[in-house]
Structure formats: C-alpha cells, structure tokens
C-alpha cells in the first residue's frame, strides 16, 4: 500500500486481490448466450468463441468458493412484449444477435447448469449491458464489504466490458480474468482486452487463484498450529 492524499491505495495486484475484499461477478453465462441451440446461435452468431468458456469459468468459480470469495451471478432478462426495451436498445440488440434473447420465463434465460448459483449466492437481474445499471449490485457488494470486483463471463466487448468499467466508476478496484471471458467475434474480444490491459488490472485465472490460495494459507497459519481454546 502507499498513501496518497491521506488515503491507503493498493499498489500491487496481490493487494488488489486480497480475498477478504473480493467478489467474483459472473456475467451472463446463460443458455441463450452459450448453448448451440440457444437464440444467439439460432440468429447466426459465430459460437466458436464460446468453446470451453463454461468449463473455465466453472473451475474458477469453484476455486473462488474454496477460499471463501463470494460469487455474484448476473442474469440478463428481456421482459416480454418489449416491456424492458427502448427503441435505441432494440437497435443495439438487433445489430448483434436479434432482439429476442433471454426472454423471461424461458430456458434460454436460465443460468447454465455448469455455473449455476449455489443456495445463498446472489443473483442480480439486469436489462442493460452494465450489471450496475439500475440494479442492486452496488448495494449487494457494499453490504458485503467488497472492495474489488473480479469479472468473468460473456461478452468481452459488451456486457463484460460495460460492467468491468462501471465497477471502476463506482469506486471499486476491478480485475478482469482474461481466460474466463469470451466473445462471438475474436477480433473484438482481443481489442477489448487490449484496451482494458492499458486502463485496469487484467490477469489469468491461475494468477488470481494462486494469490487467493496463498492468502488463505497465511490466514490459516503454520501447519500444526491451532488457535488456543476459548476460555
């Protein structure tokens, strides 16, 4: 840490990723966005970028859970009959994959089974790209004492980047896990990562998990040492 204007500021990625202040925010890992029979694939999107993303994210989530880092799941829901869509949002959605994805009450809107929330884990519903936009995500994170938002999911240049940037604008440290994000367009995926590496913290799943596991080991103390009994 270093002091700037009387405030303690993280200097290293290890400080930023102190597990006591982290939460993993999982963006839009839903059937319509990932599955080959989902509405995005049905609209003609190139799904090759989704290969392996569920396995990588599931492994990272499991590692985070094992060291006590909370998981917050983000779920995009489109209300029926256009009730959540403005004209500009319809244009933006239609230009990507068509307007009718993740409709409320459909299987396509459900979070993929491989990364499904466990009992007690928070699910935040959103209707726009950023998971902070008119949702209770900020409230949930602050109530849990979160200082660092760790982002995984899809798509890299869309909802992932929007949420990742917005986390910084809400005064969180932010870390993008580069091998746990994906996009339908690989060029856009790489361009987004290039921009984010120049502005914020980006690291691999392995690096983040290593930091968390080492911190958990230090907190546990040396082998064979136990806490004194309560009196």
């Amino acid at each position: 840490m270093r002091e700037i204007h009387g405030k303690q500021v993280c200097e290293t990625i290890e400080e930023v990723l102190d597990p006591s202040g982290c939460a993993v925010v999982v963006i839009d890992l839903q059937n319509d966005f990932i599955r080959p029979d989902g509405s995005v694939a049905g609209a003609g999107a190139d799904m090759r970028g989704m290969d392996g993303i569920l396995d990588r994210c599931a492994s990272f989530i499991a590692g985070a859970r094992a060291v006590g880092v909370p998981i917050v799941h983000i779920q995009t829901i489109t209300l029926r009959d256009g009730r959540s869509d403005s004209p500009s949002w319809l244009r933006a959605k239609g230009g990507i994959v068509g307007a009718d994805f993740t409709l409320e009450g459909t299987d396509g809107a459900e979070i993929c089974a491989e990364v499904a929330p466990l009992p007690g884990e928070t699910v935040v519903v959103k209707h726009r790209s950023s998971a902070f936009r008119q949702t209770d995500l900020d409230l949930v994170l602050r109530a849990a004492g979160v200082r660092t938002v760790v982002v995984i999911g899809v798509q890299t240049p869309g909802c992932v980047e929007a949420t990742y940037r917005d986390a910084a604008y809400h005064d969180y440290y932010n870390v993008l896990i580069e091998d746990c994000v994906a996009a339908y367009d690989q060029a856009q995926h790489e361009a987004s990562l290039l921009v984010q590496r120049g502005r914020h913290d980006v690291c691999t799943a392995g690096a983040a998990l290593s930091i968390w596991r080492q911190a958990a080991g230090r907190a546990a103390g040396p082998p064979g040492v136990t806490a004194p009994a309560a009196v």
Side-chain angles (χ1 to χ4, degrees), residues 144-223:
V146 171
R147 300 183 301 274
T148 299
V149 174
V150 180
V151 178
I152 66 174
V154 298
Q155 284 202 75
T156 315
C159 296
V160 165
E161 183 174 321
T163 302
Y164 179 64
R165 286 177 176 271
D166 222 354
Y169 305 153
H170 281 76
D171 291 326
Y172 294 96
Y173 295 107
N174 58 347
V175 178
L176 187 68
I177 304 301
E178 61 186 329
D179 47 348
C180 287
V181 294
Y184 307 119
D185 185 307
Q186 188 64 21
Q188 291 185 24
H189 169 79
E190 294 295 341
S192 179
L193 288 178
L194 177 65
V195 171
Q196 300 321 308
R197 289 188 188 106
R199 295 289 301 275
H200 305 287
D201 284 302
V202 177
C203 73
T204 64
L209 290 174
S210 177
I211 290 168
W212 288 343
R213 288 165 181 157
Q214 288 176 31
R218 290 192 297 270

Side-chain angles (χ1 to χ4, degrees), residues 22-204:
C22 287
V24 175
V25 176
V26 184
I27 308 294
D28 294 352
L29 292 181
Q30 297 165 253
N31 292 325
D32 266 350
F33 294 136
I34 305 293
R35 305 294 187 195
D37 58 351
S39 65
V40 172
D46 184 348
M47 302 300 290
R48 288 175 294 179
M50 300 300 108
D51 290 347
I53 188 62
L54 286 177
D55 288 342
R56 295 193 298 274
C57 287
S59 178
F60 183 71
I61 290 168
R65 286 171 175 154
V67 294
V69 173
I71 312 298
V72 179
H73 304 264
I74 308 300
Q75 184 179 28
T76 290
I77 295 294
T78 300
L79 301 181
R80 292 182 181 274
D81 302 318
R83 286 180 288 119
S84 57
D85 293 326
S86 66
S88 64
W89 186 236
L90 285 167
R91 175 178 171 82
K93 289 167 60 176
I96 302 171
V97 295
D100 291 329
F101 54 73
T102 63
L103 281 173
E104 60 177 335
T106 65
D107 180 69
E110 294 301 313
I111 295 172
C112 296
E114 294 91 333
V115 291
L118 295 182
E121 290 182 344
T122 300
V123 178
V124 173
V125 170
K126 69 180 176 71
H127 303 294
R128 293 296 184 269
S129 292
S130 172
F132 288 94
R133 176 64 177 165
Q134 295 185 336
T135 74
D136 59 2
L137 177 60
D138 186 45
L139 181 151
V140 166
L141 295 174
R142 294 195 190 281
V146 171
R147 300 183 301 274
T148 299
V149 174
V150 180
V151 178
I152 66 174
V154 298
Q155 284 202 75
T156 315
C159 296
V160 165
E161 183 174 321
T163 302
Y164 179 64
R165 286 177 176 271
D166 222 354
Y169 305 153
H170 281 76
D171 291 326
Y172 294 96
Y173 295 107
N174 58 347
V175 178
L176 187 68
I177 304 301
E178 61 186 329
D179 47 348
C180 287
V181 294
Y184 307 119
D185 185 307
Q186 188 64 21
Q188 291 185 24
H189 169 79
E190 294 295 341
S192 179
L193 288 178
L194 177 65
V195 171
Q196 300 321 308
R197 289 188 188 106
R199 295 289 301 275
H200 305 287
D201 284 302
V202 177
C203 73
T204 64

